Amino acid sequence: MTMAAAARAATPPPAERDEPISGEQPMSGIEIDSISMEFTLPDGGVVRALSDVSLGIATGEMVSVLGPSGCGKTTLLNIVGGFLSPTRGAVRLNGHTVKGPAAERGVVFQQGALFEWLTVEQNIGFGPRMAGRPKAEIRDKVHDLLGTVGLQGFAEKPVYQLSGGMQQRVALARCLANDPDVILMDEPLGALDALTREKMQGLVLRLWKETGKTILLITHSVEEALYLGQRLIVMAPRPGRIMKEFRLPFPERGLTMPPREVKASSDFVATREEVLSMIWSMEEEIMGENGSSEVSS
Amino acid sequence: MSAQVKSPRLAIWLGLADNAFTRQKTVKFGDAAAVNSGRFYSVLVVVVLLLAWVVTSALNLIEPFYWPTIQGTWDRFTKLVAEGYRNVPLIDHIGISVYRVLSGVVYGALVGIPIGFAMGLSSVARGFMDPIVEFMRPIPPLALIPLVILWFGIDETAKIFLLFLASLFIMILAARAGVSSVRVSKVHAAYSLGASKLQVLRHVILPNALPEIFTGLRTAMGVCWGTVVAAELVAADQGLGSMIMIAKNFLQTDTVVIGIILIGLIGYTIEMVMRWLERILIPWKGKG
Ligand SMILES: Nc1ncnc2c1ncn2[C@@H]1O[C@H](COP(=O)(O)OP(=O)(O)OP(=O)(O)O)[C@@H](O)[C@H]1O
Ligand SMILES: [Mg+2]
C-alpha cells in the first residue's frame, strides 16, 4: 500500500487534470493509436471487429467503455492486454508499444479465471510468487490485500468455495498484488446480482482512489459505466468504432457521496437516459437490419 | 427439525430411505443426484449369491469339476495361504501381478504425460504423434502379446513392456485432453500476472490437467489389471493369471475360482484406492 500511496501523492488527482478528451496523445498512460481489427473466418469471410479506434487514457484515469453486444469491446481490451495484435495500428503504454501480455497491465476477467487448485491466499500471491519475491513479503502483501477487499479470514479457503462476488474480490486483489500500471476489466461484475454488483462498484471506486491506478473498464451496465468512468466511451458496432465520449463527474462525486445519492442525482439520471437512448437506437438499427435481411431471404 | 434428524440413519446409509435433502426433491426420476446408494440391495445380492453357493454345496447339486463347494474352496484357500501355490506363496502371486501393473502404469505415465502435453501444446508434436496415437488406440493390448513375445521372449521385460504399451496411449490421450481443457482466460490471467511460459506450464496447465491425468491413471490401472492377468495366462510361471492357468491344466477348479475371486477383489480395491486418492489429491476436480 505504501508504494501505491506514494504514487498517488506524486500524481495530482485525476479530476484536476486538464487532459485533452481525445485526439492529442498523452505522454504517459495508454495510447490506442488508430487500431483496426479484422477477424478472418474459416469460410474466408472477414469480420471487422474494430475500425480505426483511437483513444488516449492518462495515467491514473478511469475510463469506462459501453456499447451494444458485438461492438468489439472485448476485442479492444484483448488488444490492450496484449492477447491479440491488431490488424492495423498500435497500442502504447508510457511510450512503448504493447507486444504481448505483461505484468504492467493487469486484467480482471468476468469469471472463471481464478486458479481453482489454489487457495485464496495463493491466488492473490500468484504474481509476486512468479516474480520470485521473498515469501515473507508476499505473505504481508496478501494479508494487506485481504483486508483491502474485505476477505479477512478466507485466506486458506479454496476459491471454489467462495461466492461469485467474493471470487471477484479475489480476482481484484490478485491483480493489485502485482502492482500493475494499468488495470483492464472486462465486465468484471457482469455475473453478479444487482446488490453485490453495487457493493463491488464501491470497492472498485475505493481501490481506484487508494491506488491511483489507470483503469479501463468494460461493462454492459450504463449505470456502472457512468458511476465508474471519468470518461465514458460509447462504441457502435459494424464495424466497431467509438461513437461518442462523455466526460463525467460521477466517480469523483462517488468518493465523497453515498452511491445511491450519486446515482439518483438529476444530471446522473439525465446522462443515463441520454446514453441509454443512444444505445437503444443502435440496437434498433441492428434489429432493423436483421429483420430486413430475414425478409429479403 | 428433530423429527427429521431422528430419521433412521441406518436406513439412509443402507439406501432404504432418502436423506433429508433428497427427500424434499419432487423431481427424482431423471435427477441422477437423487438416486441413492441402494447399499441394502448390494448387501442383499452378495448374501443371496453366497447363500446359493452354500446351499448348492451342501446339497451337492453341482459337480465340483464345474464349480467347487464353498467348503472345499475355503479349505483350498487356507491351504494356498499356508503353503502357497507351486512353491510360490500366494501373496507373491498377487504381489508380482500388482507389481507388473504398477510398473506398467508408472512407465506409461512417465512417457505418456510428456507426449500428451507436447501434443496439446505444439502443432509439430501433434502432427508427429497423431497418426501413431490414433492408430494404436483401437488395438487391444492383448493383440500385441504375440509381437511382444517375439521381441522380448516371455521374461519380465515382456510383460512390463506390454503393460507399458497398454497404459501409454491412455495416458497420452488423458494428458492431451487435460491440456486442451484449460480455459484460455486462466492462461491469459497468468501471463498478465507476469508468468513466463515455463511458469504457465508448471503453475496453470499442469494443475489444470491433473484431474484428467488422474482419470487416465484410473483407466490405465483398470485396463492394465485386465491385461496382466491375460498376459500371465499366455506366458508366465508366477502371478494370478498363471496360477489359474496352471490350476486349469491340473483340473483344480477350486484354485481357478479362488484366483478369479482374487482378481475381481484386487481390481475393485485398486479402483477404490484410486478414487480415494483422487478425492484427497485433487479436491478441485470439476470445480473450475
Ligand atoms: N476470434 C474471433 N473470430 C471471429 N470473430 C470474432 C472473434 N472474436 C470476436 N469476433 C467478432 O468480433 C466482433 C466483436 O466481438 P467482441 O467479443 O469484441 O464484442 P463485445 O463488444 O465484447 O461483445 P459482448 O458485449 O457481447 O461481450 C463480433 O462480431 C464477434 O463476432
Ligand atoms: Mg465482450
Side-chain angles (χ1 to χ4, degrees), chain B residues 127-187:
Chain B
F128 262 106
M129 293 304 299
D130 213 46
I132 303 174
V133 172
E134 291 305 324
F135 180 78
M136 291 301 291
R137 172 152 68 156
I139 299 177
L142 294 183
L144 301 173
I145 290 181
L147 196 59
V148 170
I149 290 178
L150 288 176
W151 287 355
F152 294 97
I154 57 166
D155 66 356
E156 208 52 33
T157 327
K159 272 161 221 105
I160 291 178
F161 185 74
L162 179 72
L163 296 173
F164 161 72
L165 285 181
S167 62
L168 176 67
F169 296 99
I170 296 172
M171 292 315 300
I172 291 177
L173 290 168
R176 187 176 74 176
V179 171
S180 314
S181 76
V182 67
R183 251 189 209 235
V184 73
S185 62
K186 289 194 217 298
V187 174

Side-chain angles (χ1 to χ4, degrees), chain A residues 113-295:
Chain A
L114 292 179
F115 306 127
E116 68 267 21
W117 48 89
L118 300 179
T119 62
V120 168
E121 187 173 21
Q122 291 164 331
N123 263 282
I124 298 176
F126 188 86
R129 207 163 77 247
M130 295 302 106
R133 310 301 311 162
K135 279 208 172 67
E137 181 194 315
I138 299 177
R139 208 184 41 239
D140 291 346
K141 192 168 215 164
V142 170
H143 181 82
D144 280 354
L145 282 165
L146 281 170
T148 311
V149 299
L151 284 176
Q152 303 94 328
F154 290 91
E156 312 286 338
K157 286 247 186 241
V159 284
Y160 55 81
Q161 284 180 5
L162 268 51
S163 70
M166 288 157 116
Q167 290 187 2
Q168 288 312 83
R169 287 168 193 266
V170 177
L172 277 171
R174 183 176 73 174
C175 183
L176 287 172
N178 232 18
D179 202 24
D181 296 336
V182 172
I183 301 179
L184 308 170
M185 308 198 211
D186 191 357
E187 294 177 44
L189 314 181
L192 306 180
D193 67 276
L195 196 64
T196 311
R197 187 170 190 154
E198 191 129 45
K199 282 190 206 152
M200 292 290 290
Q201 289 169 2
L203 176 63
V204 171
L205 194 60
R206 210 187 77 220
L207 291 177
W208 170 64
K209 182 195 171 191
E210 283 173 6
T211 63
K213 299 285 180 207
T214 313
I215 295 180
L216 178 62
L217 171 89
I218 286 171
T219 173
H220 266 143
S221 151
V222 177
E223 198 176 85
E224 186 167 291
L226 297 181
Y227 188 63
L228 294 179
Q230 292 179 296
R231 253 190 314 148
L232 165 63
I233 312 294
V234 180
M235 291 182 64
R238 299 173 181 210
R241 61 198 185 277
I242 293 178
M243 186 160 155
K244 198 165 159 103
E245 287 189 26
F246 293 82
R247 186 171 271 287
L248 302 169
F250 307 116
E252 277 90 5
R253 220 179 275 174
L255 294 176
T256 53
M257 251 196 241
R260 291 281 18 133
E261 214 169 295
V262 175
K263 291 176 184 178
S265 61
S266 58
D267 53 346
F268 190 97
V269 173
T271 320
R272 190 184 71 201
E273 292 311 311
E274 184 185 348
V275 172
L276 264 175
S277 54
M278 187 185 297
I279 290 176
W280 261 112
S281 65
M282 272 191 255
E283 292 278 6
E284 259 161 23
E285 225 167 88
I286 298 168
M287 300 290 267
E289 276 171 32
N290 285 348
S292 61
S293 68
E294 263 166 42
V295 172

Side-chain angles (χ1 to χ4, degrees), chain A residues 39-41 47 49 67-76 186-187 220:
Chain A
F39 292 106
T40 309
L41 302 175
V47 179
S69 188
C71 69
K73 304 183 293 292
T74 297
T75 306
L76 178 66
D186 191 357
E187 294 177 44
H220 266 143

